[in-house]
C-alpha cells in the first residue's frame, strides 16, 4: 500500500516534469493547462496526506514558505570567466585570425548564440538533482541563490533521464526577465513609488537577490543554458553537441543557435540578428561566438579572466538627438508625481518617440535637463525611451532650471516626499488627477475592459463632475454623455453599451480593476482562484491571505488593509448596487483551435510570446517554430520575419491578430 502511494507520487512527478519539458524546452505542449493543473493538484494532495514522501525535487516544492536570512557564497568548481567584447566586423576578423594562428592551420568551425541580457548563473546537479545555484560573483565565488532559482519553472529541479545521468554536472546559463514582465514590473513600481529597474538585466538580478522567494516566483524569470562547468564524464566532443545534450536533460536552450563554417558566416548571422532582435520577447545585447570543438577550446585556453576561444559581438546602443519642448508633471493613480520630458518626435530603434519619463525629481536635478535643451535619447534595455545626456554646450541662453512643484499640478493640493526622498506624492484624497488615472486603469484592457471609455472621455466625465468614483460610471445615462462636447448619438450609445457589457466581467478582472497597491492581473487571478467570491476575499483574515503560496507578506497586508478601509468598501457596495456582478469562473474550456498547428511571427499587440503560446495551448492548438506543409496557419503580427515569406511560398494561410481573437471568441 505505502509502496503503491510512493509509486503513484513518483509517476505524477515524472509526468509533470515531462510536461514542463514539453512546454519550456521544446515549446510543444501536449496537454491543456487545466489538465496540467489537475495533475499538479493531485500530486499536492497525495504529498499532503503522506508528507514523508515529499522530496525537494518534487514539482510542488519550487517555492519555499519562509524568507531566508541572507545569501551564503558558493565557490565555483571551475571559474566563471567573462567574455571579451567586440563591436564591429573588423574586430571579429581579428579574433578569427588569432584563432587560426592558435590552432596552427587545423580546421575549425563556430557556434553562434544570442547574448541574452540577463544574469549568468551556474546550476549544479548531483545525480540529476539540482543541489545549488550561484551567481557569477567575482568569477571564483558567487552568491548562493538556490532558493530563488528553484522558483524558475524553465529550470528543472531534476534532469530528465538521458542515457547516462552524470554524478556531477554544472550547467551555466542566463537567467532573464522577458520584456513584457519587465515593463509590467516597472509600471507597478512607478505606481507604488519605488525606484525603477533600469533594464531587464537589473530586474532579473534584483529578483534573484530577494530574500523572499515567493516574490521571486511572481517575477516571471526564465532561463537559457549555454555552457558546461564541471562534469564527471565528458558529454560530447563539440559545444554544439553539448547544447543538444542539454535539451535532452530537459534544460532550455535557445532555438536560434547556429553553426558557422567560417567568420564570414558568423558576421552574416550577427548582422541579421541586429535587425531581428526587436522581434524577440526578451532582450539581447549582442551575439556570442564560440569555437565549436571542445579539444580546440582547450588548446586555445584562457587569458587571465576570459577564454581565447570565445568572443561577444555587441550591438551598438541606438541613440537619437532631439530638443526638449517641455517638462510636464503627471499625477499617477496613487498620487505619485512623475516628471515627463516632451520632445520633438524622433525615430529610435524602429519607433517614433516623443516623450520620456524622467522617473523622479532627483533624476531631473542630476541631469539638469531644461526646456529648450538638446538631449540624447536612448532606449533602456531597447524598450523604454530615456534621456541619457544633456548637451549643455548647445543650451540656448536664458533657460532656467526645472522647479520641483510645491503643490500638485492637477489639484493644487499639498505634496510630500516619500520615505526614500525621491518621489513626491499628492496628499489630496480627492485629487481629480488621481481619480482620472484610477478610472483609466479601471476601464483598461487588462481590467474591466470598457472599450469606449477612453482617457479623453474620462477627463470630461470627471471635469463635469458626472463621475466621482468607479460606481458612478454605471449610473451614467446616454443623455449625460450626449451633453458632453463632441459626443454624437452613435458614440454615446457605444459607450453606454460597453459599460453595460462590462458588468459581468470575471472576478479577477474586477479585483485587478480596483487598483489595490501591488495587485496586478496575475495576483488578481490567484486571489480569484483562491476565494472564488468577492465577499470571501473582502472578509479574508490576514493569516488566510498570508497562507497563499504565491503572495508575499507585504502584498497580503496591502490587500487586507484595502478591504478594511470604509471608503473602499463603500465604492465596492456602490458598484454592486449599480449592477456589477463579478463572478468567478474557472477558465472556460474551448477547442476552437483543436488539432491546429500554428506558427507565430512578428510582434503582437495583445500577447507576449509566452502568452500567445499559452493561449493557443488553452484552446487546444499547438505552436511550432517553423513553417511547413503541416502548418495550419501563420499568425502574423507587426514586422513579421522570414516565416511570412515561407508561408506565402508554401501557400499556408496567414491571419492577423484580429482574426485570431475572433477565432477564439475574444472579440
Ligand atoms: Zn493632486
Amino acid at each position: 500500500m505505502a509502496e503503491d502511494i510512493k509509486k503513484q507520487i513518483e509517476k505524477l512527478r515524472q509526468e509533470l516534469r515531462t510536461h514542463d519539458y514539453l512546454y519550456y524546452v521544446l515549446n510543444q505542449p501536449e496537454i491543456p493547462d487545466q489538465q496540467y493543473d489537475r495533475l499538479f493538484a493531485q500530486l499536492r494532495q497525495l504529498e499532503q496526506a503522506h508528507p514523508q514522501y515529499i522530496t525537494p525535487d518534487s514539482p510542488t516544492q519550487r517555492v519555499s514558505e519562509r524568507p531566508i536570512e541572507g545569501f551564503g557564497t558558493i565557490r565555483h568548481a571551475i571559474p566563471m570567466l567573462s567574455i571579451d567584447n567586440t563591436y564591429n566586423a573588423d574586430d571579429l576578423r581579428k579574433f578569427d585570425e588569432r584563432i587560426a594562428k592558435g590552432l596552427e592551420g587545423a580546421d575549425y568551425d563556430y557556434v553562434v548564440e544570442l547574448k541574452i541580457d540577463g544574469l549568468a548563473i551556474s546550476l549544479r546537479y548531483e545525480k540529476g538533482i539540482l543541489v545549488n545555484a550561484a551567481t557569477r560573483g567575482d568569477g571564483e565565488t558567487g552568491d548562493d541563490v538556490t532558493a530563488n532559482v528553484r522558483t524558475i519553472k524553465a529550470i528543472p529541479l531534476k534532469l530528465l533521464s538521458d542515457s547516462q545521468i552524470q554524478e556531477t554536472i554544472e550547467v551555466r546559463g542566463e537567467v532573464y526577465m522577458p520584456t513584457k514582465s519587465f515593463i509590467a514590473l516597472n509600471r507597478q513600481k512607478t505606481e507604488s513609488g519605488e525606484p525603477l529597474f533600469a533594464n531587464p538585466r537589473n530586474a532579473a538580478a534584483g529578483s534573484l537577490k530577494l530574500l523572499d522567494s515567493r516574490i521571486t516566483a511572481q517575477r516571471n524569470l526564465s532561463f537559457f543554458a549555454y555552457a558546461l562547468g564541471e562534469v564527471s564524464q565528458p558529454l560530447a566532443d563539440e559545444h554544439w553537441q553539448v547544447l543538444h545534450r542539454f535539451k535532452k536533460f530537459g534544460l532550455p536552450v535557445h532555438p536560434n543557435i547556429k553553426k558557422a563554417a567560417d567568420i564570414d558566416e558568423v558576421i552574416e548571422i550577427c548582422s541579421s540578428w541586429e535587425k531581428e532582435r526587436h522581434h524577440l520577447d526578451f532582450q539581447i545585447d549582442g551575439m556570442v561566438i564560440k569555437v565549436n570543438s571542445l579539444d580546440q577550446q582547450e588548446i586555445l585556453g584562457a587569458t587571465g579572466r576570459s577564454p581565447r576561444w570565445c568572443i561577444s559581438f555587441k550591438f551598438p546602443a541606438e541613440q537619437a538627438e532631439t530638443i526638449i519642448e517641455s517638462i510636464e508633471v503627471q499625477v499617477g493613480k496613487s498620487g505619485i508625481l512623475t516628471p515627463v520630458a516632451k520632445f520633438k518626435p524622433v525615430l529610435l530603434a524602429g519607433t517614433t518617440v516623443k516623450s520620456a519619463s524622467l522617473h523622479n525629481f532627483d533624476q531631473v536635478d542630476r541631469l539638469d535637463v531644461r526646456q529648450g535643451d538638446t538631449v540624447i535619447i536612448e532606449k533602456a534595455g531597447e524598450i523604454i525611451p530615456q534621456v541619457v545626456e544633456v548637451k549643455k554646450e548647445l543650451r540656448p541662453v536664458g533657460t532656467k532650471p526645472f522647479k520641483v512643484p510645491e503643490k500638485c499640478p492637477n489639484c493644487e493640493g499639498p505634496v510630500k516626499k516619500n520615505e526614500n526622498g525621491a518621489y513626491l506624492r499628492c496628499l489630496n484624497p480627492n485629487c481629480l488627477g488621481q481619480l482620472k488615472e484610477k478610472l483609466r486603469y479601471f476601464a483598461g484592457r487588462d481590467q474591466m475592459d470598457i472599450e469606449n471609455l477612453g482617457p479623453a472621455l474620462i477627463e470630461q466625465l470627471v471635469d463635469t463632475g458626472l463621475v466621482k468614483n468607479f460606481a458612478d460610471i454605471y449610473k451614467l445615462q446616454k443623455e449625460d454623455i450626449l451633453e458632453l462636447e463632441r459626443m454624437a448619438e452613435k458614440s454615446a450609445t457605444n459607450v453606454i453599451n460597453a459599460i453595460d457589457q462590462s458588468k459581468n466581467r470575471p472576478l479577477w478582472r474586477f479585483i485587478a480593476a480596483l487598483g489595490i497597491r501591488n495587485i496586478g492581473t496575475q495576483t488578481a487571478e490567484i486571489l480569484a482562484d483562491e476565494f472564488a467570491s468577492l465577499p470571501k476575499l473582502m472578509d479574508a483574515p490576514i493569516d488566510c491571505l498570508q497562507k497563499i503560496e504565491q503572495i508575499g507578506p507585504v502584498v497580503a497586508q496591502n490587500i487586507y488593509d484595502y478591504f478594511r478601509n470604509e471608503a473602499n468598501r463603500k465604492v465596492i457596495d456602490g458598484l454592486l448596487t449599480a449592477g456589477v456582478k463579478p463572478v468567478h469562473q474557472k477558465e472556460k474550456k474551448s477547442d476552437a483551435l483543436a488539432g491546429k498547428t500554428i506558427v507565430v511571427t512578428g510582434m503582437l499587440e495583445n500577447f507576449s510570446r509566452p502568452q500567445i503560446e499559452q493561449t493557443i495551448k488553452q484552446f487546444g492548438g499547438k505552436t511550432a517554430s517553423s513553417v511547413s506543409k503541416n502548418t495550419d496557419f501563420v499568425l502574423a503580427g507587426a514586422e513579421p520575419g522570414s516565416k511570412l515569406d515561407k508561408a506565402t511560398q508554401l501557400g499556408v494561410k496567414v491571419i492577423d491578430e484580429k482574426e485570431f481573437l475572433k477565432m477564439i471568441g475574444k472579440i
Side-chain angles (χ1 to χ4, degrees), residues 114-355:
L114 306 181
K115 187 169 184 299
I116 296 146
D117 202 10
L119 189 75
I121 285 288
S122 182
L123 307 173
R124 190 176 175 91
Y125 289 89
E126 281 170 10
K127 295 197 171 67
I129 306 284
L130 177 68
V131 292
N132 66 42
T135 61
R136 186 207 304 271
D138 61 5
E140 301 284 336
T141 39
D143 283 329
D144 180 349
V145 287
T146 314
N148 288 338
V149 162
R150 288 174 61 90
T151 67
I152 302 170
K153 295 221 178 84
I155 295 178
L157 298 178
K158 184 179 180 186
L159 296 179
L160 291 185
S161 34
D162 185 63
S163 46
Q164 62 200 112
I165 275 288
Q166 299 275 341
E167 190 66 30
T168 300
I169 177 169
E170 262 180 24
V171 177
R172 269 106 195 240
E174 200 86 353
V175 167
Y176 67 94
M177 183 177 284
T179 309
K180 272 241 167 144
S181 309
F182 168 70
I183 294 173
L185 178 62
N186 262 356
R187 200 179 294 144
Q188 209 182 73
K189 288 201 163 282
T190 308
E191 276 308 327
S192 49
E194 292 168 59
L196 305 188
F197 286 117
N199 51 47
R201 180 183 58 244
N202 290 1
S207 303
L208 274 189
K209 290 292 183 62
L210 291 164
L211 294 173
D212 189 341
S213 62
R214 286 171 297 188
I215 304 177
T216 311
Q218 288 181 46
R219 292 281 172 91
N220 282 326
L221 295 174
S222 197
F223 175 78
F224 283 121
Y226 56 60
L228 196 56
E230 192 187 23
V231 65
S232 345
Q233 300 275 318
L235 277 191
D237 301 330
E238 291 182 348
H239 177 62
W240 179 257
Q241 293 162 347
V242 168
L243 295 178
H244 284 84
R245 285 294 299 276
F246 279 173
K247 284 201 220 176
K248 290 224 162 88
F249 286 141
L251 291 156
V253 174
H254 195 269
N256 278 305
I257 42 170
K258 287 250 158 60
K259 260 203 234 190
D262 54 36
I263 201 71
D264 287 331
E265 208 176 320
V266 167
I267 292 167
E268 205 174 295
I269 296 170
C270 288
S271 60
S272 83
W273 274 106
E274 200 170 329
K275 291 177 218 100
E276 278 286 312
R277 65 175 153 151
H278 302 301
H279 297 153
L280 294 165
D281 49 23
F282 52 88
Q283 302 299 309
I284 60 173
D285 58 355
M287 306 295 288
V288 179
I289 299 103
K290 295 173 185 166
V291 169
N292 189 17
S293 153
L294 299 184
D295 281 346
Q296 291 179 335
Q297 288 185 4
E298 185 115 352
I299 293 169
L300 291 161
T303 70
R305 291 178 58 82
S306 38
R308 285 199 192 86
W309 45 267
C310 173
I311 201 138
S312 86
F313 174 77
K314 294 268 263 191
F315 297 137
E318 292 185 58
Q319 292 190 328
E321 198 178 278
T322 183
I323 292 173
I324 302 279
E325 290 181 328
S326 65
I327 297 173
E328 291 179 5
V329 177
Q330 295 176 349
V331 54
K333 70 179 164 59
S334 56
I336 301 274
L337 303 185
T338 310
V340 179
K342 303 272 178 179
F343 40 78
K344 287 216 167 85
V346 62
L347 195 68
L348 183 61
T351 57
T352 303
V353 289
K354 50 188 178 189
S355 69

